Amino acid sequence: MIERVRRIVGGKGDEARRRKTAAALLILAVFALSGCNALSTAGGDSPSAVIAGSAPRDPQQDRLGAEEHPRIVAAYGGIYRDEKLEQALVRIVGKVVAASDDPGQSYRITILNAPAVNAFALPGGYLYVTRGLLSLANDSSEVAAVLAHEMGHITANHAVARQNRAKNAVIVSQVVTDVLNDDNAGRLALQSSQRSLAGFSRQQELEADAIGVKTIGRAGYDPFAAARFLSAMGKFASYKTAQGAAADKRIDFLATHPSTPERIDFAVRAARQFGAPGVGSVDADRYLDGVDGMIFGDDPTQGFVRERSFVHPGLGVGFTVPEGFVIDNTSDAVLATGTDGTALRFDAVRLTPGSDLGTYLASGWVNGLDEKSIKRFAVNGMPAATATAKAKDWAFQIAVIQTEGGATYRFIFANEVSTPVFEKAAMETVQSFRKLTASETAGLQPLRVRVVTVKAGDTDQSLARRMRGVERPLELFRALNEIEPGAPLTPGRSVKVVQE
């Protein structure tokens, strides 16, 4: 599922609303510790491919990586399985490993089923790349640059150092304890934070950059690919933040690997040691053949976001948020944000079919509940209950709905102030919840990356008109293909479009 960060551009008032929305999303994130079920139906956590080396393995690093691997897979929506894409990735990794400082190192490569643009490494040679990053890359050299950078972290033992650091653990623990009536949940949050991936230092990033550029240059790839892809990711991030979205716990590559002008300049200077731009192979055609047909954005197992509606064909449910809200998916919930700082979390909870929903609301899983506010009613023929709560200066509107089959879903709205607008938005969203018809479910198709050939007379605008199901298609087309506005397209060039 997709999780992104909404950016509200403007003056001090807009910045205040942005911070307010971010805080509300943090508050709602802690509800994940209250027994909810993931909305994703993905499963299986064996790596996409394994490249076995001859060097002896480090038991401690193997153990650290093996412990974290299932958590990473779950947090990023499972593993994306595509034999053609996996073969393309193995070919790239094989060349990079052979040219690395430690060609005997074993690697386990996993394609994560997430649209976030990210790649990272864990101790023990665990390498991860999201399909979101693979959809943004335009040739093998760019993917090689990213993976060589991550291998550089492993070679320099950065991953072990990062594994031993935890950021904001005490703060997160306290937030959970304050909002939820559960000290155990607070301790669980502390443990989770201590095990989370912390960011690398500036020095470690530059060291990995240097190792990565040197490695792909020795492998025969274009050494300038590192700087090129850093720039491409920055432009794609600008497209996403302008689009607006909800908070993402699966932080993208640029959040942990900032694309600063300093790093791009550093990568260019490192690449020049191999020659002028144009040296080395990019291997674009074989790479694009590998990504052709890959799912783009939401995976069917994780539901679809279409404008202001979220629909999940696997669960057979959907709902619509009010005008001005932006919806995004996460691996275990759906998040949405409104322009007034309202945040929404939609998830599933395990309840016995036929349970009294009002009793569940009053069962003590959230502090500050006003039991007098509990109301029982029906939504499109399904039993439902709502209530209000106030805790730590936050106002909540909470609703629970149970389908005919016994599946139970929660809507949790948060804002600093309970206003008529806030209450109306919550009730409109809850009342829109419905079961999907068989014809609706059958008609839901994922978006996919399609590789097409530029013909004489084609422009970025004409090709962007072939895009389907995406916002601002022209900007997205340019971002996906690293095309500057107004730049001519050469006939015969392969480019990516997004279609159903």
Side-chain angles (χ1 to χ4, degrees):
M1 294 182 179
I2 307 173
E3 300 171 75
R4 298 170 290 210
V5 178
R6 175 160 191 152
R7 180 185 180 188
I8 304 174
V9 183
K12 292 183 179 179
D14 293 324
E15 175 64 16
R17 285 195 296 272
R18 183 189 68 79
R19 292 180 181 275
K20 177 181 177 181
T21 300
L25 286 165
L26 173 62
I27 293 295
L28 290 187
V30 304
F31 282 93
L33 300 173
S34 301
C36 70
N37 294 331
L39 294 175
S40 170
T41 56
D45 60 3
S46 60
S48 301
V50 176
I51 294 180
S54 57
R57 308 189 62 84
D58 184 324
Q60 180 183 8
Q61 293 200 21
D62 279 354
R63 178 179 56 79
L64 288 171
E67 287 178 353
E68 291 295 337
H69 176 73
R71 184 180 67 83
I72 294 298
V73 169
Y76 279 80
I79 295 177
Y80 185 70
R81 305 290 184 180
D82 182 322
E83 184 177 355
K84 183 176 64 170
L85 185 58
E86 290 169 0
Q87 290 176 352
L89 193 59
V90 167
R91 183 174 61 250
I92 295 169
V93 174
K95 289 185 64 174
V96 173
V97 171
S100 71
D101 292 333
D102 188 7
Q105 168 76 48
S106 297
Y107 288 96
R108 300 170 175 87
I109 309 102
T110 300
I111 302 174
L112 295 169
N113 190 25
V117 176
N118 209 350
F120 46 89
L122 291 179
Y126 285 82
L127 282 176
Y128 302 89
V129 60
T130 62
R131 57 178 172 82
L133 187 146
L134 295 175
S135 70
L136 183 59
N138 278 285
D139 56 54
S140 297
S141 69
E142 292 182 347
V143 176
V146 172
L147 295 178
H149 173 99
E150 297 306 326
M151 291 178 188
H153 283 307
I154 292 177
T155 301
N157 285 324
H158 295 165
V160 174
R162 181 171 71 170
Q163 191 76 12
N164 293 332
R165 299 206 321 266
K167 291 184 175 181
N168 303 322
V170 175
I171 295 175
V172 173
S173 175
Q174 189 60 49
V175 168
V176 174
T177 302
D178 286 344
V179 177
L180 297 180
N181 187 21
D182 190 348
D183 289 338
N184 290 329
R187 286 192 290 272
L188 177 61
L190 177 61
Q191 295 168 3
S192 177
S193 296
Q194 288 173 334
R195 295 167 60 83
S196 66
L197 290 173
F200 290 121
S201 69
R202 171 182 171 277
Q203 180 180 355
Q204 288 173 328
E205 290 296 353
L206 292 177
E207 184 178 357
D209 283 343
I211 294 173
V213 171
K214 180 179 68 173
T215 302
I216 64 172
R218 289 195 310 218
Y221 284 120
D222 174 13
F224 291 88
R228 190 169 67 247
F229 195 57
L230 278 171
S231 177
M233 286 190 293
K235 292 175 182 177
F236 184 69
S238 296
Y239 163 81
K240 297 300 288 288
T241 53
Q243 177 180 332
D248 188 352
K249 71 184 179 186
R250 300 172 311 204
I251 300 173
D252 66 21
F253 191 87
L254 287 178
T256 53
H257 306 71
S259 178
T260 62
E262 176 193 18
R263 287 191 63 208
I264 294 176
D265 180 67
F266 179 85
V268 169
R269 286 188 283 109
R272 283 180 178 151
Q273 297 180 15
F274 290 89
V279 66
S281 167
V282 296
D283 192 22
D285 290 340
R286 281 203 298 181
Y287 177 73
L288 291 176
D289 180 64
V291 300
D292 187 25
M294 181 178 65
I295 290 176
F296 182 88
D298 299 346
D299 185 279
T301 64
Q302 301 164 356
F304 295 95
V305 173
R306 293 293 186 265
E307 297 180 351
R308 291 188 294 114
S309 293
F310 170 77
V311 289
H312 198 306
L315 302 176
V317 299
F319 64 89
T320 302
V321 295
E323 198 76 42
F325 274 71
V326 176
I327 307 177
D328 286 290
N329 297 337
T330 75
S331 58
D332 56 6
V334 178
L335 302 180
T337 57
T339 56
D340 66 344
T342 294
L344 160 67
R345 178 186 176 94
F346 170 79
D347 60 22
V349 63
R350 295 185 180 92
L351 284 184
T352 303
S355 296
D356 182 82
L357 301 182
T359 300
Y360 166 68
L361 287 173
S363 62
W365 57 275
V366 62
N367 282 335
L369 184 81
D370 180 3
E371 294 193 19
K372 295 181 180 179
S373 71
I374 295 175
K375 297 179 182 178
R376 296 170 176 82
F377 59 106
V379 172
N380 293 318
M382 294 171 283
T386 62
T388 62
K390 190 170 181 62
K392 287 293 178 180
D393 299 322
W394 287 93
F396 295 93
Q397 293 278 339
I398 305 167
V400 189
I401 303 174
Q402 191 167 84
T403 65
E404 183 179 348
T408 307
Y409 301 95
R410 302 187 299 189
F411 288 92
I412 305 170
F413 294 81
N415 202 319
E416 288 182 321
V417 181
S418 181
T419 65
V421 172
F422 170 64
E423 295 168 4
K424 182 174 182 288
M427 187 51 62
E428 283 184 3
T429 304
V430 172
Q431 293 286 2
S432 74
F433 182 83
R434 60 193 177 85
K435 293 286 290 182
L436 302 178
T437 65
S439 59
E440 283 179 303
T441 301
L444 292 171
Q445 297 296 325
L447 300 178
R448 294 185 181 273
V449 174
R450 299 296 183 188
V451 178
V452 300
T453 303
V454 175
K455 298 180 180 179
D458 281 341
T459 65
D460 54 359
Q461 295 183 349
S462 67
L463 288 168
R465 285 194 290 270
R466 299 170 66 172
M467 306 268 273
R468 296 290 183 270
V470 298
E471 296 185 53
R472 305 190 343 267
L474 178 58
E475 294 178 47
L476 179 59
F477 176 79
R478 289 170 176 167
L480 289 178
N481 293 286
E482 300 174 28
I483 295 173
E484 296 294 333
L489 298 179
T490 305
R493 172 182 173 179
S494 295
V495 294
K496 294 170 290 184
V497 297
V498 177
Q499 299 175 335
E500 287 187 335

